[in-house]
Amino acid sequence: MYWLSAKSAVVLLPTATRWRSLAGLLRSSSRKCCLTFGSPQLLKLKINQNDRVYCFRDRKAFRVFARTTKKVRNSVGVDVKNLPHIMWWKERLEICKKASTVQLVKRIVYSNLLGLDVNLKSGSLKEGSLNWEMLQFKSRFPREVLLCRVGEFYEAIGIDACLLVEFAGLNPFGGLRTESVPRAGCPVMNLRQTLDDLTRNGYSVCIVEEVQGPAQARSRKGRFISGHAHPGSPYVFGHVGVDDDLDFPEPMPVIGLSRSARGYSIVLILETMKTFSTEDGLTEEALVTKLRTYRCHYLFLHASLKNNASGTCRWGEFGEGGLLWAECSSRQFEWFEGDPVTELLTKVKEVYGLDDEVIFKNVTVPSEGRPRPLHLGTATQIGAIPTEGIPCLLNVLLPPSCTGLPVLYMRDLLLNPPPYAITFTIQEICKTMSKVTCSLPEFTCVSSAKLVKLIELREANHVEFCRIKNVADEVLELYSNTELSKILKLLMDPTWMATGLKIEFDTLVSECEWISCVIGEMISLDNDVNQEIISYPHIPDEFLEDIESSWKGRVQRIHLEDLYREVEQAAQALHLAVIEDFLPIVTRVKTVTAPLGGPKGEILYAREQQAVWFKGKRFVPSVWAGTPGEAQIKQLKPSLDAKGRKVGEEWFTTAKVEEALLRYHMANDKARAKVLELLRHLSFELQSRINVLVFASMLLIIAKALFAHVSEGRRRNWIFPTLAKFHSAESSEPLGEVRAMKLNGLLPYWFDTAKGSPVRNTLHMQSLFLLTGPNGGGKSSLLRSVCAAALLGICGLMVPAESALIPHFDSIYLHMKSYDSPVDGKSSFQIEMSEVRSIITGTTSKSLVLIDEICRGTETAKGTCIAGSIIETLDARGCLGIVSTHLHGIFDLPLSTVSTVYKAMSAECVNGQIVPTWKLKDGICRESLAFETAQREGIPENLIRRAEELYCSVYADGLLRKTGKEEYQKVTSSEEYVLSDLNNTGFDEGDSFPGVLTRKSIHSDTHSGKQRGSGRTMENLQKDVRKAVGIICEKKLAELQKGLESPECLERNCILVSARQQPPPTTIGASCVYVLLQPDRKLYVGQTDDLQGRVRAHRSKDGMQNAAFLYFVVQGKSLACKMETLLINQLPSHGFHLTNVADGKHRNFGASDTILEDIAVCR
C-alpha cells in the first residue's frame, strides 16, 4: 500500500499495479517517505490493500481531481500507472530557477507524460497529430526527455521544452506567450551540444528521427526512435557515416546498495556493456569511497539499510550508517526491496526501456585474498581521490602526458588493491618493462564501453575500425617480439581482474589475428592511394571533394569497383554537360571587353544546394546578334532548390546539367549506401568477438598505465620493493622479516629529487609505533609517506625509497585530522570516533594502521585515556602501524602493551632555539614547540610571553624545556638548513614536511643512463642512415681510444623507433643521440636526456605523427653533444639531406679529448 499526496489530497493506490519506478513517489527534497506538493498535514487512512481510494480534505479538491482524471482518461487514455512518472517530472520542474522556465512551468498540466494542456493553442492530443505521436514515443521511455526531428530542428514540447530552456540555454518557440503550450528546440547542427547539456545535468534523452526521402502529399513523414543519450553514454546514431572520432565519457553505472551479514554490498550495472558486478563484505567507509569515485546514473538503496521501522531520515544519525547516510542524502535515490541483483536488473530494464530478453553478463571477480578497499579518509589523505590541499598521488605516479583511461585504471588499482598473485604479476610486468631495450607499441587506448556500444548498434565508422585494428596489431606486436612476449603473457591476469573476462592466451592471439585480417581486408588504411578524388578542369574541386569524400577512403576499392566506375562515368557526363552548356558562355564573357555594365558569368559551386551552376547577370541575346554563346544563353533557366524555389537572380542551369547532376548524385548516394552497408556488416562480424575486443583494449590500457608509471618512476629514482606474503603473529612462521616492513631512505611521495635534496627516513617496523614530536616536526608527512609506500607496494608499483620490504597487508588505514560537519550535526570528535570505530572493527594482525594526533578534539584527560585504550587494542591485535600524539600524559598511564615501540621526530638546538630535523629516532619527545610555532605564524609577542607565564605557573618552571635541551644534540655551525617553498606542496604552513628540508649546496646537472630513439618504415633509408652513423662515429671514436667497438657493433646498437612506437623506459635519464627520419626523407640530428619527451615533441608537429627515429645511448651529455655535432657535419657528405645543418657550425661544448678517452658508446 503506497500513499501519494497530490495538492490537498492523499491518494492510495494498489500495490498490485506494476509501476516502472514507484520509489520516485516516496521521495522528496524534504521527506523520503512520501511525495508532497505543498499540501497541509496528510490524512492517513488504513484501507484494504486491493482498494483504490482517494481521500481529500474538502469536496472541492475531490471534484477538481475527479474532473481532471476523467478528462485525461477520455482524451489521451493515460493509465494510472503513468502517474508516478508524471510526479517524477513534477519534482524535476520544481527545482527549475530560470525566469523563462518558471513562466513555462505555469502552463504545464500534470495529466499526461508530456504535461500538455489540451485547452491551450497547439496542445491537441488528437490521434494522428504530431503531439499524439510524440506522446506514444514518450510512453515507451517515460523517464527520458524526448527530442523529435521536425525538418531542420529537433523539437520538444511541454515538460521536455521546459528542461531544454532550463539546462540547454535554448529560447522557447514563440517567446513566452501564454496562449500556447511550451515548445523549444535546437537546430540539427546543434544536437550534440544540446544532448551534452542535458546529460551533464543527469537527464536521459530519447531522440526521434524522420524517415528521410520525399513524403506523399498530405501525409506525415514516418518517424522512428533512432537512439538514446544517457549520462556517460552518448548518442551515436549516424556515426558510421562521419569522419570524426567520438569522445566517449566514462560510463555511469546504475548502483544499488544493500546490507548483508558480511557487511555492506554494492551492485554496479552498466547498461552500455550489458554487465553487472557485485561486491560484498565492504565497510561503510569503503562503500562511501566507491560512491565518491563512481558517477552513477541512478542510485537505489535497499530496505536492508534502514536501521529502524520508519525508515525516516534519522537512519544512520548516530553510529554506523551515518557516513553513508550523509553521502546518500546529498544525491537523488530510490528505495527498493527484494533480491538486490534481480530487482536492480529489472529496474535497469525498465529505466532504459530494455526488453526482458536482454541478458546482463556477470563479471564479478572473486575477492578472496584481496586486501580491503581503501577507506574514504585514507584515499583522500594521500590524494588517491584528488582532494584540495593534499598532494595527489596519481599526479606523481604517471607523467603529465599520460591522461584518460590509464589514469582511471591506476586510480581503481589504488582504491582496490589486488591479491598477492596479481600484485606480484604487476611488479614483474613493471620490472620487465624497465629492462627492455627494443621499441614498444604506442598502446592504443579505446574505451570498452565505446567499443561495445558502437559495434552493438553497428555505428562504428572507419576511424574506429582503424583504432580496433591498431589494438589487435599491437597485441600481435607484443606477441611476435621475444622481448615483449613475456609482458603480454603477464598482462593476462591483471586484465582478467579488471574486466572479469577469462580468455586464454592462445585464444587472444588467434582472435586478434582474425580481427586484424578481417578489418585489414575491408577498411582502407592510410597508405591506400587508389581512392583519390576525381578532378576535372571545369568543375570546382570543392564540389567533387564534398560529394565524394563522404564515402571514399573508408573501405578498400576492391569492394566497390562497379560503383567507382559508375561515379566516374557520371562525373565525366557532368563535365561534358558543363563544357557544352556553360563553357561557351564563360568563354564569350571573357572575350567581351565591356564597361562596368557588361555581362559577367562563371561556373561556381553552390555549396548549400550541392550543385555546380552558372552564376552571371546582364545577358541580352539580341545584343550579341548570333555570336557564339547565344544559343547556350537561351537554354539557361533559373536554378531551383530541393523544394522547387528559385535560388537567386544570378544562379542559372540547364536541363542537361541538371540531368547530369542528378545522375552524379545518385551514383554517389549508391556508393555511400554500399559503404555504410559494408561497415555495418563488419560490425556485425565483430559482435561475436566483442569479449576479445574488450579484453584486448583493457590489456593495452593496463600496459600503457604501467609503462608510463615505470617511466616516471625511473625519472624520480623510485625503486621496486621486495614483496612478501604476510604471516600473522599466530602463525608458525617466525616474527622475522615476513612480519616486518622495512623502508630505507623513504621520502615523501610528492617530493621530486630533481628539485632538491630531501630528508630521508628509515623504518624497520615489526609492531606498533607510538610517535611523538614537535609541531611541524614531520609526523603527518611521515604517516602519509609510509601509507603511500605501503599502498604502492601492495599494488605492485614502484615506491619512493632507496630499498623496501613490504608485506602484503590485508588492509591499510590512514586517519588524519577530522573536521566537524554542521550539516550532519556532528562535531570533529564525533567524526573522529566514527572513523576510529571503523578502523578498529576492520583491523587484523595483517593490517597497517596509521593514526595522526589521536583524540585531540576533546577534553585532554579523557581523550588521553581513550587514546591509551585504542593503543592497547591495536597492540593486542598485533598489527603494524604508527599512532602519533601530543597527549604526553599517555606515557603516565598504566598501559598493557606488549610490543608497542616509542618513536619520536627529532629536533636540534641551534643558536639556543630548538628546531626540528624531520628525522625519526627512538624515544619520546615531550617538546611541542608550540610557543615557537605560534610566534613564527605571527602571534603577537606579548601573547606569547603571557602564555609562557601561564605555562610556568601551572607546570614546573623550566623542567620541560631543560629536559628537552638535554635530549637534543647541537647542530654544527658548518651546516645551514633552509626550508623550501611550502606553497608548492599544497599543505598549510602548519603541516610538517620532512621532504622539503634541503641543504645549500651546488648540484651538477649532468645526467647518465639510457635513452632510446626511433626509426621509420622507409627501410632503405633507415639501413643507410644506420650504416653511416656507425662509420662516422667509429671513425671519430677510433681517434680517441684504441680498441673501440667496430662499426658493425655501433651500427647494431642503433635502435629503431618506428611509427606508432615509443622508446623504452631504459632511456629515462640517459644521454642519447638520435636521428629523425622525416617523411620527406630529410634528416634531423639531435641529442637529449629526455628521449620520450623529444619524440613526443617532434611528432606533435603537423605531418610528423608517424615519424621514425634512430638512436643510440652514450655515457654522458658531453659525448652526446660531440657526437651530435659530428653527425650534423658529416652526414651530408654521405649523401643525406639535413634540416639543421647550421647547428653544426656554432657548437662548442667544451668536451676535451682526455674526457672522451674514458667514454664509450653504451650497448
Side-chain angles (χ1 to χ4, degrees):
M1 181 171 61
Y2 298 101
W3 292 94
L4 170 65
S5 171
K7 296 294 181 185
S8 299
V10 178
V11 182
L12 181 65
L13 301 175
T15 55
T17 302
R18 182 178 178 180
W19 294 339
R20 291 192 174 220
S21 183
L22 189 57
L25 291 170
L26 310 177
R27 186 182 77 252
S28 69
S29 58
S30 59
R31 292 183 180 139
K32 304 299 178 184
C33 56
C34 63
L35 179 65
T36 63
F37 305 101
S39 60
Q41 183 178 2
L42 299 179
L43 177 62
K44 297 185 179 180
L45 300 177
K46 190 172 183 180
I47 305 176
N48 186 284
Q49 178 176 341
N50 295 322
D51 295 336
R52 179 182 290 113
V53 179
Y54 304 87
C55 303
F56 301 87
R57 283 196 170 278
D58 53 78
R59 293 180 175 273
K60 181 179 180 182
F62 173 76
R63 287 195 299 269
V64 171
F65 181 81
R67 287 197 303 267
T68 303
T69 303
K70 182 177 179 180
K71 182 177 181 181
V72 169
R73 289 180 177 176
N74 293 336
S75 59
V76 297
V78 176
D79 193 82
V80 177
K81 66 180 181 180
N82 284 321
L83 286 177
H85 305 302
I86 297 173
M87 296 301 103
W88 187 86
W89 284 114
K90 187 176 191 299
E91 278 190 53
R92 299 312 185 268
L93 293 184
E94 286 177 342
I95 64 175
C96 294
K97 299 179 180 179
K98 292 179 66 173
S100 55
T101 310
V102 173
Q103 294 299 319
L104 293 177
V105 171
K106 294 179 179 179
R107 286 181 257 158
I108 298 297
V109 173
Y110 301 102
S111 59
N112 55 73
L113 286 171
L114 293 175
L116 296 184
D117 185 349
V118 296
N119 297 317
L120 294 179
K121 182 179 178 181
S122 302
S124 172
L125 289 171
K126 181 181 178 181
E127 183 173 352
S129 64
L130 178 60
N131 290 353
W132 177 86
E133 188 177 2
M134 294 175 70
L135 182 60
Q136 306 312 305
F137 289 124
K138 184 78 171 182
S139 63
R140 293 181 57 186
F141 302 95
R143 294 289 181 94
E144 297 184 14
V145 176
L146 184 73
L147 290 181
C148 183
R149 176 76 175 267
V150 181
E152 297 301 316
F153 277 82
Y154 287 93
E155 294 187 6
I157 58 176
I159 294 173
D160 300 330
C162 296
L163 296 176
L164 257 65
V165 173
E166 178 71 16
F167 298 109
L170 302 177
N171 294 321
F173 290 165
L176 297 176
R177 293 181 299 180
T178 59
E179 70 275 8
S180 63
V181 297
R183 284 185 177 272
C186 69
V188 172
M189 65 182 68
N190 294 340
L191 174 63
R192 183 70 58 188
Q193 181 61 48
T194 301
L195 295 178
D196 290 343
D197 292 335
L198 290 172
T199 55
R200 192 183 303 116
N201 286 278
Y203 291 96
S204 295
V205 187
C206 176
I207 300 94
V208 176
E209 289 283 350
E210 286 182 333
V211 176
Q212 298 301 312
Q216 296 181 356
R218 296 190 178 183
S219 64
R220 186 178 302 280
K221 281 191 174 183
R223 291 182 172 84
F224 61 97
I225 295 178
S226 57
H228 306 265
H230 305 291
S233 180
Y235 178 61
V236 299
F237 178 76
H239 183 66
V240 65
V242 300
D243 285 332
D244 303 330
D245 193 11
L246 179 65
D247 291 332
F248 214 91
E250 182 183 2
M252 296 175 62
V254 173
I255 294 180
L257 306 181
S258 62
R259 191 174 181 182
S260 65
R262 295 184 57 195
Y264 291 95
S265 302
I266 183 171
V267 180
L268 292 93
I269 303 178
L270 286 172
E271 180 271 337
T272 304
M273 303 286 292
K274 301 298 184 294
T275 60
F276 73 91
S277 61
T278 61
E279 193 168 356
D280 198 4
L282 298 174
T283 62
E284 181 184 5
E285 286 76 6
L287 187 61
V288 173
T289 303
K290 291 183 177 295
L291 284 178
R292 289 281 179 92
T293 55
Y294 291 120
R295 295 178 58 244
C296 64
H297 189 191
Y298 289 98
L299 176 62
F300 293 94
L301 303 183
H302 195 265
S304 59
L305 292 172
K306 299 179 181 180
N307 280 345
N308 55 47
S310 65
T312 64
C313 62
R314 294 186 62 83
W315 161 62
E317 185 174 353
F318 298 104
E320 186 177 2
L323 184 63
L324 179 60
W325 170 254
E327 184 70 22
C328 294
S329 60
S330 62
R331 304 166 179 251
Q332 294 179 349
F333 65 87
E334 299 181 18
W335 293 101
F336 75 106
E337 297 180 352
D339 179 73
V341 175
T342 304
E343 290 299 320
L344 275 178
L345 288 175
T346 301
K347 288 184 175 296
V348 167
K349 292 178 181 180
E350 292 176 352
V351 167
Y352 291 99
L354 303 177
D355 296 332
D356 293 336
E357 293 76 17
V358 175
I359 299 176
F360 283 77
K361 183 180 181 63
N362 187 356
V363 293
T364 303
V365 177
S367 59
E368 285 76 13
R370 190 168 188 171
R372 287 180 177 270
L374 290 192
H375 277 195
L376 180 62
T378 307
T380 55
Q381 287 299 326
I382 61 173
I385 296 178
T387 306
E388 184 178 0
I390 304 297
C392 183
L393 182 58
L394 286 173
N395 289 347
V396 300
L397 286 184
L398 304 172
S401 59
C402 184
T403 58
L405 296 174
V407 178
L408 295 179
Y409 171 76
M410 294 297 284
R411 182 200 67 183
D412 292 341
L413 181 65
L414 294 176
L415 296 178
N416 304 279
Y420 177 79
I422 302 297
T423 297
F424 186 81
T425 301
I426 290 176
Q427 189 182 83
E428 284 299 307
I429 295 172
C430 293
K431 286 182 177 179
T432 307
M433 283 184 170
S434 68
K435 298 175 183 177
V436 297
T437 57
C438 63
S439 301
L440 281 80
E442 282 189 343
F443 300 123
T444 301
C445 295
V446 182
S447 167
S448 298
K450 179 180 180 181
L451 279 176
V452 171
K453 184 164 186 176
L454 292 180
I455 292 178
E456 179 185 287
L457 299 179
R458 303 183 189 181
E459 291 291 345
N461 61 7
H462 66 291
V463 176
E464 200 61 38
F465 282 122
C466 288
R467 291 171 63 86
I468 295 174
K469 187 178 187 302
N470 289 342
V471 169
D473 288 344
E474 288 174 4
V475 171
L476 297 176
E477 182 179 349
L478 293 174
Y479 172 73
S480 61
N481 188 302
T482 55
E483 197 172 1
L484 302 179
S485 59
K486 179 182 178 182
I487 296 177
L488 179 61
K489 292 181 180 179
L490 290 172
L491 284 167
M492 298 295 290
D493 285 342
T495 307
W496 161 71
M497 179 66 64
T499 62
L501 301 174
K502 196 71 172 179
I503 295 180
E504 297 298 328
F505 180 77
D506 294 337
T507 302
L508 174 66
V509 174
S510 61
E511 293 291 357
C512 285
E513 289 176 346
W514 183 88
I515 292 169
S516 177
C517 180
V518 170
I519 297 178
E521 291 175 353
M522 178 63 65
I523 299 300
S524 175
L525 304 178
D526 295 336
N527 55 1
D528 191 351
V529 296
N530 297 321
Q531 304 199 39
E532 297 179 354
I533 305 298
I534 303 173
S535 179
Y536 293 95
H538 302 296
I539 298 180
D541 291 337
E542 295 85 356
F543 168 73
L544 299 172
E545 176 73 24
D546 286 354
I547 302 301
E548 297 184 16
S549 63
S550 63
W551 60 274
K552 281 188 175 180
R554 287 164 168 76
V555 301
Q556 293 191 13
R557 179 163 180 163
I558 190 174
H559 303 288
L560 303 166
E561 286 292 352
D562 294 341
L563 295 174
Y564 266 88
R565 284 193 296 270
E566 187 174 342
V567 171
E568 291 171 359
Q569 293 172 1
Q572 181 67 28
L574 176 62
H575 183 239
L576 292 176
V578 169
I579 290 177
E580 294 176 1
D581 288 5
F582 291 163
L583 191 59
I585 305 176
V586 174
T587 303
R588 178 61 183 169
V589 168
K590 292 181 179 179
T591 59
V592 174
T593 56
L596 296 178
K600 297 180 181 180
E602 55 184 333
I603 302 171
L604 293 178
Y605 171 35
R607 188 178 302 275
E608 293 184 1
Q609 311 301 329
Q610 291 189 332
V612 175
W613 289 332
F614 179 80
K615 187 176 183 180
K617 56 184 178 180
R618 290 188 291 274
F619 293 101
V620 184
S622 61
V623 176
W624 288 27
T627 57
E630 180 181 354
Q632 286 76 16
I633 293 177
K634 292 180 179 179
Q635 296 177 9
L636 294 178
K637 62 179 182 179
S639 300
L640 305 178
D641 60 16
K643 296 182 179 181
R645 296 175 299 188
K646 189 175 180 181
V647 175
E649 297 296 332
E650 299 180 354
W651 290 99
F652 299 93
T653 186
T654 66
K656 185 186 297 185
V657 171
E658 286 300 297
E659 182 181 353
L661 273 173
L662 178 61
R663 177 185 174 186
Y664 178 71
H665 278 297
M666 291 180 63
N668 278 276
D669 291 342
K670 187 176 179 181
R672 189 180 303 110
K674 182 62 176 178
V675 168
L676 298 183
E677 178 187 345
L678 292 173
L679 291 176
R680 289 196 166 101
H681 181 72
L682 184 56
S683 292
F684 173 76
E685 288 187 275
L686 292 180
Q687 282 183 0
S688 60
R689 270 79 175 183
I690 192 65
N691 286 344
V692 175
L693 287 176
V694 170
F695 190 91
S697 64
M698 178 54 69
L699 184 144
L700 293 183
I701 290 171
I702 297 174
K704 185 167 186 175
L706 298 182
F707 169 79
H709 168 65
V710 171
S711 300
E712 184 66 12
R714 287 177 63 93
R715 189 189 72 79
R716 291 177 174 269
N717 295 320
W718 289 11
I719 56 94
F720 291 105
T722 301
L723 302 178
K725 288 187 176 180
F726 204 114
H727 295 281
S728 64
E730 297 80 9
S731 67
S732 59
E733 294 289 338
L735 293 178
E737 295 183 353
V738 292
R739 266 197 50 80
M741 180 171 65
K742 293 182 178 180
L743 299 173
N744 297 323
L746 176 69
L747 57 84
Y749 63 85
W750 61 88
F751 193 84
D752 193 343
T753 56
K755 298 180 180 179
S757 178
V759 172
R760 296 179 179 267
N761 274 295
T762 297
L763 296 87
H764 186 187
M765 186 183 298
Q766 292 181 292
S767 62
L768 188 68
F769 287 178
L770 183 56
L771 180 64
T772 53
N775 288 307
K779 299 187 298 299
S780 299
S781 289
L782 179 64
L783 266 62
R784 281 195 177 95
S785 302
V786 171
C787 180
L791 178 61
L792 294 174
I794 69 172
C795 290
L797 306 176
M798 303 177 75
V799 300
E802 295 174 346
S803 65
L805 170 66
I806 300 176
H808 197 258
F809 296 103
D810 65 359
S811 56
I812 296 177
Y813 303 104
L814 172 64
H815 169 73
M816 307 297 288
K817 56 187 178 183
S818 302
Y819 296 94
D820 64 340
S821 179
V823 175
D824 301 320
K826 290 189 177 183
S827 67
S828 60
F829 184 68
Q830 283 180 285
I831 292 178
E832 180 183 14
M833 290 298 98
S834 176
E835 294 182 7
V836 170
R837 169 192 52 78
S838 179
I839 292 174
I840 293 176
T841 301
T843 297
T844 69
S845 60
K846 299 180 181 180
S847 301
L848 176 66
V849 179
L850 305 163
I851 302 178
D852 187 35
E853 297 190 18
I854 188 172
C855 295
R856 66 176 182 178
T858 189
E859 182 257 321
T860 305
K862 293 181 180 179
T864 301
C865 295
I866 294 176
S869 179
I870 292 173
I871 293 171
E872 286 183 339
T873 302
L874 296 177
D875 181 85
R877 296 279 175 89
C879 64
L880 303 186
I882 302 175
V883 177
S884 69
T885 183
H886 281 297
L887 301 175
H888 300 145
I890 200 170
F891 300 105
D892 300 326
L893 298 176
L895 299 180
S896 300
T897 57
V898 177
S899 56
T900 300
V901 178
Y902 295 158
K903 294 285 185 177
M905 302 305 296
S906 63
E908 296 174 328
C909 186
V910 179
N911 298 328
Q913 293 186 349
I914 299 176
V915 296
T917 64
W918 299 283
K919 297 288 289 184
L920 183 68
K921 70 167 190 176
D922 295 331
I924 301 173
C925 176
R926 297 180 182 272
E927 174 55 67
S928 66
L929 296 183
F931 297 146
E932 291 80 358
T933 302
Q935 187 173 14
R936 187 169 59 248
E937 296 301 321
I939 298 298
E941 186 175 354
N942 61 328
L943 294 181
I944 302 297
R945 286 200 302 268
R946 177 55 180 163
E948 291 175 342
E949 293 174 0
L950 294 173
Y951 181 81
C952 293
S953 67
V954 177
Y955 301 95
D957 290 343
L959 176 62
L960 188 56
R961 291 180 177 271
K962 180 178 178 180
T963 304
K965 291 182 180 180
E966 291 174 351
E967 288 181 355
Y968 301 127
Q969 299 178 352
K970 293 186 177 180
V971 67
T972 59
S973 59
S974 60
E975 291 184 340
E976 183 180 4
Y977 291 83
V978 296
L979 276 174
S980 299
D981 183 11
L982 303 185
N983 294 330
N984 295 329
T985 65
F987 282 92
D988 297 331
E989 293 184 358
D991 288 333
S992 50
F993 302 88
V996 297
L997 180 66
T998 58
R999 296 185 179 183
K1000 289 185 177 178
S1001 59
I1002 299 176
H1003 301 279
S1004 172
D1005 290 334
T1006 303
H1007 302 281
S1008 62
K1010 272 192 168 184
Q1011 267 197 352
R1012 163 185 109 187
S1014 145
R1016 190 187 154 170
T1017 55
M1018 298 182 291
E1019 295 183 2
N1020 294 333
L1021 177 63
Q1022 173 255 315
K1023 292 179 180 178
D1024 294 341
V1025 172
R1026 177 177 290 183
K1027 184 176 181 180
V1029 169
I1031 295 174
I1032 294 172
C1033 293
E1034 159 66 15
K1035 184 177 179 180
K1036 180 63 178 178
L1037 292 173
E1039 300 174 2
L1040 304 175
Q1041 181 179 354
K1042 294 182 179 180
L1044 193 64
E1045 299 174 354
S1046 63
E1048 291 77 15
C1049 291
L1050 180 57
E1051 180 180 343
R1052 187 176 64 248
N1053 287 330
C1054 286
I1055 300 176
L1056 174 67
V1057 180
S1058 302
R1060 298 186 61 252
Q1061 288 185 339
Q1062 52 189 332
T1066 50
T1067 60
I1068 299 297
S1071 297
C1072 291
V1073 181
Y1074 69 90
V1075 180
L1076 165 63
L1077 286 72
Q1078 299 183 166
D1080 59 1
R1081 296 183 178 270
K1082 293 183 180 180
L1083 308 181
Y1084 177 93
V1085 180
Q1087 63 82 29
T1088 180
D1089 283 345
D1090 181 16
L1091 185 59
Q1092 289 186 358
R1094 190 65 61 87
V1095 169
R1096 284 196 301 269
H1098 281 298
R1099 287 178 174 172
S1100 65
K1101 299 178 182 178
D1102 292 338
M1104 302 292 289
Q1105 290 77 11
N1106 294 321
F1109 296 79
L1110 278 170
Y1111 80 92
F1112 59 90
V1113 182
V1114 297
Q1115 290 181 348
K1117 190 176 183 68
S1118 178
L1119 181 59
C1121 295
K1122 192 76 174 180
M1123 292 297 100
E1124 177 194 21
T1125 303
L1126 183 66
L1127 290 174
I1128 291 175
N1129 290 331
Q1130 295 197 20
L1131 278 176
S1133 64
H1134 287 255
F1136 299 103
H1137 297 280
L1138 267 68
T1139 59
N1140 61 331
V1141 176
D1143 292 346
K1145 299 180 180 179
H1146 49 78
R1147 298 291 181 91
N1148 182 13
F1149 300 100
S1152 65
D1153 291 344
T1154 57
I1155 296 176
L1156 291 173
E1157 289 176 359
D1158 298 328
I1159 299 177
V1161 176
C1162 295
R1163 297 188 180 185

